Amino acid sequence: MIHKKVTIVGAGNVGTATALLIAERNLADVILIDVIKDIPQGKALDIQEACPLWNASSKVAGTNSYEDTADSDIVVVTAGLARKPGMSRDDLLQRNAAITREIAEKIAKTSPSAIVIVVTNPMDAMTYLVQKVTRFPYNRVIGMGGVLDSARMRSFISGELEVPPYDVRAMVLGGHGDLMVPVASSTTVKGKVIADILHGSKIEAIIERTKNGGAEIVGLLKTGSAYHAPAASIVEMIENIFGIKNETIPCSVYLDGEYGVKGIYLGVPVRLSSKGLDRIIELELAENEKQAFIASAEAVRKLIQKIA
Ligand code: NAD
């Protein structure tokens, strides 16, 4: 069986959890690469040894050399520092920009046709940076953030209403930061808009918890940030790229006037395909959501200006 090849840069919490899900679902062969010696090799071997139990034929290997990542179909960038309690995603900017820049240069040389999924925070700015350094077409560089934030919102609504999460739809747009925009107007439960089901104060509380969803986990873990739901969100994007799923999902993509924003990466609803970004879906936002989206765009633009 010929598998696609997915390289994951960064064999830390998110990278390893993603490798495990890809292998368990038999989606692709996986290369885990990290600057630390032996760790990616050890983690990859551990996952490889689980594959017989899943009847999975994915090959999983760890490395410290980009040669082994050559000609990947997808490269997922998870390398860099994660938040500690009290830090915002934006506090990671300069150090993660240096790491991301170096990785992007290597990806451009070794996997020139890859689709790149950027996860490292602050994610929208890092996605912009990867596109700028690789000079890949915009459709082949996409950031992961909205899928995770929307899954968190769905999980909170599901818990509040005691309904299965598959009955809940939610879209969190804008930057993957403190000014993200949970879009209540397109949040539904079994097709009914959330405002007709839940009291306004409850919706506000869910929106606030969604915005703080990452910080809530950082506060509990103390030494790292979330990785299981982030890994599942990366895999959701990969499954849409591979055509196994065909959903409208929020991803950070380059905007050229859509939603009134130009020249930066920001989270909007999209369709993904073997091309990477297939198309942007334009949703009708409520007036307050439009304003929040523009404020979020300005915050991301300021971050980008600090590293561009
Ligand atoms: P982690 O500390 O567990 O792992 C990071 C790994 O990157 C480490 O193993 C480190 O050795 C490696 N690394 C550092 N420099 C490298 C380089 N130049 N090349 C290759 N590897 C390198 O952190 P984590 O929890 O896996 O998080 C990784 C990043 O993802 C963080 O920036 C975090 O904020 C971000 N994140 C983003 C989202 C999102 O929704 N976009 C969600 C979760 C985490």
Side-chain angles (χ1 to χ4, degrees):
M1 185 176 171
I2 299 169
H3 275 134
K4 300 270 194 196
K5 180 171 177 179
V6 176
T7 284
I8 299 172
V9 187
N13 284 335
V14 176
T16 307
T18 305
L20 182 125
L21 287 180
I22 292 172
E24 186 184 11
R25 294 180 192 191
N26 209 20
L27 290 176
D29 291 336
V30 184
I31 303 284
L32 258 181
I33 181 166
D34 202 289
V35 282
I36 304 177
K37 261 190 109 192
D38 292 341
I39 293 289
Q41 290 86 342
K43 291 189 173 177
L45 183 60
D46 194 12
I47 295 170
Q48 184 74 88
E49 289 166 359
C51 285
L53 303 168
W54 301 321
N55 289 331
S57 59
S58 291
K59 289 197 208 102
V60 187
T63 185
N64 307 109
S65 160
Y66 275 84
E67 273 170 37
D68 299 319
T69 72
D71 298 322
S72 295
D73 297 286
I74 295 180
V75 177
V76 184
V77 180
T78 74
L81 306 179
R83 282 196 283 174
K84 298 206 168 71
M87 285 173 91
S88 82
R89 292 176 180 91
D90 299 353
D91 292 334
L92 304 169
L93 183 71
Q94 294 300 346
R95 292 178 72 185
N96 280 353
I99 293 170
T100 302
R101 191 182 292 277
E102 176 200 315
I103 292 166
E105 282 165 4
K106 292 186 172 140
I107 297 169
K109 284 193 191 123
T110 42
S111 290
S113 308
I115 293 167
V116 186
I117 298 175
V118 183
V119 182
T120 303
N121 276 318
M123 179 277 293
D124 303 278
M126 293 304 114
T127 312
Y128 178 95
L129 185 63
V130 168
Q131 191 284 324
K132 194 164 179 251
V133 174
T134 57
R135 298 186 184 190
F136 285 2
Y138 292 120
N139 61 295
R140 285 205 279 119
V141 182
I142 310 164
M144 189 291 286
V147 176
L148 170 63
D149 300 324
S150 305
R152 285 181 172 147
M153 188 169 176
R154 288 172 64 197
S155 119
F156 301 148
I157 293 169
S158 151
E160 176 67 36
L161 292 171
E162 294 184 16
V163 294
Y166 52 75
D167 281 337
V168 183
R169 293 188 167 273
M171 271 291 164
V172 180
L173 305 182
H176 178 62
D178 296 342
L179 295 184
M180 68 179 73
V181 186
V183 179
S185 64
S186 59
T187 301
T188 59
V189 178
K190 284 192 187 162
K192 273 194 185 164
V193 67
I194 191 80
D196 293 344
I197 302 169
L198 265 179
H199 193 270
S201 62
K202 288 254 159 75
I203 298 174
E204 267 317 304
I206 286 170
I207 285 177
E208 276 314 301
R209 192 172 175 201
T210 301
K211 287 184 180 174
N212 292 318
E216 183 178 358
I217 291 182
V218 171
L220 292 166
L221 295 182
K222 314 273 188 308
T223 56
S225 59
Y227 49 99
H228 289 301
S233 304
I234 295 164
V235 169
E236 179 81 1
M237 290 173 66
I238 293 174
E239 288 179 325
N240 275 276
I241 291 168
F242 286 168
I244 296 165
K245 289 188 176 173
N246 191 17
E247 313 261 359
T248 299
I249 53 176
C251 297
S252 185
V253 297
Y254 185 80
L255 296 181
D256 189 23
E258 297 88 350
Y259 287 88
V261 175
K262 212 173 161 81
I264 59 169
Y265 271 79
L266 210 63
V268 291
V270 298
R271 290 285 181 140
L272 302 180
S273 72
S274 57
K275 295 191 285 187
L277 171 65
D278 192 73
R279 62 184 191 279
I280 293 171
I281 310 289
E282 296 242 21
L283 280 183
E284 193 53 50
L285 300 183
E287 199 46 48
N288 63 330
E289 293 164 350
K290 275 186 203 161
Q291 284 169 14
F293 187 84
I294 296 297
S296 185
E298 287 319 306
V300 170
R301 199 182 294 280
K302 279 195 185 128
L303 279 185
I304 287 173
Q305 281 162 356
K306 289 185 193 161
I307 51 163

